[in-house]
Amino acid sequence: MTIALQNAIAASLGVQQLASAFSPAFSHLRILRNLIIPMPEGSPVRTAKIDAVLVCETGVYLFEIKAWRNAFVYRKKSDQAPPRWFLRLQGCTRAREVKDPAWQGGRKTTQLRSLLSDDLRLQYFVLLPCEGVELEGVMPAAVITQQDLPYIARLVRNNGRTARTYPLLDADAIDRTAQRLLDIQGGLSIEDHMHNCRERSEQVPVRWNAGSANAAILANGIGLQ
């Protein structure tokens, strides 16, 4: 199974889990899949893809969905450098370094924040929807698994209604916000984003060796993205 197919399956699974967890907590919500947004001028890639955007009474919630499965997820922190993230397949001793998913979600959130009204709550999560994923050590609160979703749904509902830092959205406001997100996407498509990613990768030299071959095999096994 290719990485792209694994990612697509994981994204569909994640959206189903979001709908199942958030529907009991909110009477009206909208979930947008594969939202493509323009990134600021000078960004390495001109667009970004947000796997799922959920709009409900308390605001807008972005979900970076990873296809990792049957693996331990952990990170190594350093005072002088950003945290490094690793995956280790269950039953294996070797680990594979992956991109920081919290950073990936954070930069997209920052960009979308600049394109939306300031009176909207905007928050992101990294969702790991597949089976057999275990988080090791202290992880950011934004990194969640399927088991965490019902709690997260109740948490964002209760915090939003109690804190009232941002106005609550009625059904019409939820639909208007979802439409605003679609307007931001405009004519951008997944194909456009994939083209931009390929264009970026062609600009970055890649060294091929046995190590990279082994990394590719491992990547296919755990669905890196």
Side-chain angles (χ1 to χ4, degrees):
M1 183 182 293
T2 65
I3 295 175
L5 181 57
Q6 288 177 343
N7 293 343
I9 293 173
S12 296
L13 178 62
V15 169
Q16 292 172 11
Q17 293 172 359
L18 287 171
S20 177
F22 277 77
S23 292
F26 297 98
S27 59
H28 186 68
L29 56 84
R30 295 281 301 276
I31 300 177
L32 306 179
R33 281 194 59 180
N34 296 326
L35 185 73
I36 309 298
I37 63 172
M39 294 300 283
E41 186 174 351
S43 297
V45 181
R46 292 179 291 177
T47 52
K49 178 171 72 72
I50 304 173
D51 296 318
V53 182
L54 187 147
V55 187
C56 62
E57 176 186 332
T58 57
V60 179
Y61 301 90
L62 316 182
F63 291 87
E64 183 90 5
I65 301 176
K66 294 299 183 183
W68 303 338
R69 70 181 191 280
N70 297 326
F72 298 98
V73 182
Y74 64 97
R75 61 180 187 155
K76 294 181 179 180
K77 299 176 67 175
S78 170
D79 294 335
Q80 277 76 39
R84 298 169 61 196
W85 288 69
F86 297 86
L87 296 184
R88 189 179 75 253
L89 285 175
Q90 294 179 5
C92 297
T93 57
R94 296 182 60 187
R96 164 68 173 165
E97 186 170 0
V98 295
K99 292 182 179 179
D100 181 343
W103 176 83
Q104 287 179 295
R107 67 185 180 86
K108 298 173 188 179
T109 304
T110 298
Q111 171 62 357
L112 198 55
R113 171 82 280 167
S114 71
L115 301 173
L116 290 173
S117 171
D118 290 338
D119 62 358
L120 275 175
R121 181 190 305 274
L122 193 63
Q123 190 173 357
Y124 78 90
F125 294 92
V126 177
L127 174 60
L128 310 178
C130 299
E131 61 183 11
V133 174
E134 295 186 31
L135 305 179
E136 291 189 338
V138 179
M139 303 292 286
V143 181
I144 59 176
T145 65
Q146 174 189 359
Q147 290 74 24
D148 300 316
L149 278 176
Y151 167 75
I152 293 297
R154 295 192 300 270
L155 182 68
V156 300
R157 179 195 62 191
N158 296 339
N159 286 352
R161 291 176 178 177
T162 303
R164 291 296 183 96
T165 308
Y166 298 90
L168 298 178
L169 306 179
D170 59 19
D172 287 341
I174 291 171
D175 291 338
R176 288 196 303 271
T177 302
Q179 185 57 51
R180 171 57 183 154
L181 291 166
L182 294 174
D183 291 342
I184 289 172
Q185 176 173 266
L188 294 172
S189 66
I190 293 181
E191 289 72 22
D192 294 328
H193 177 61
M194 292 176 64
H195 170 78
N196 293 336
C197 291
R198 286 193 298 268
E199 188 178 64
R200 168 59 178 169
S201 65
E202 290 169 357
Q203 297 171 358
V204 179
V206 177
R207 295 181 178 178
W208 177 260
N209 53 36
S212 58
N214 291 334
I217 294 172
L218 181 57
N220 276 287
I222 52 183
L224 302 184
Q225 60 172 323

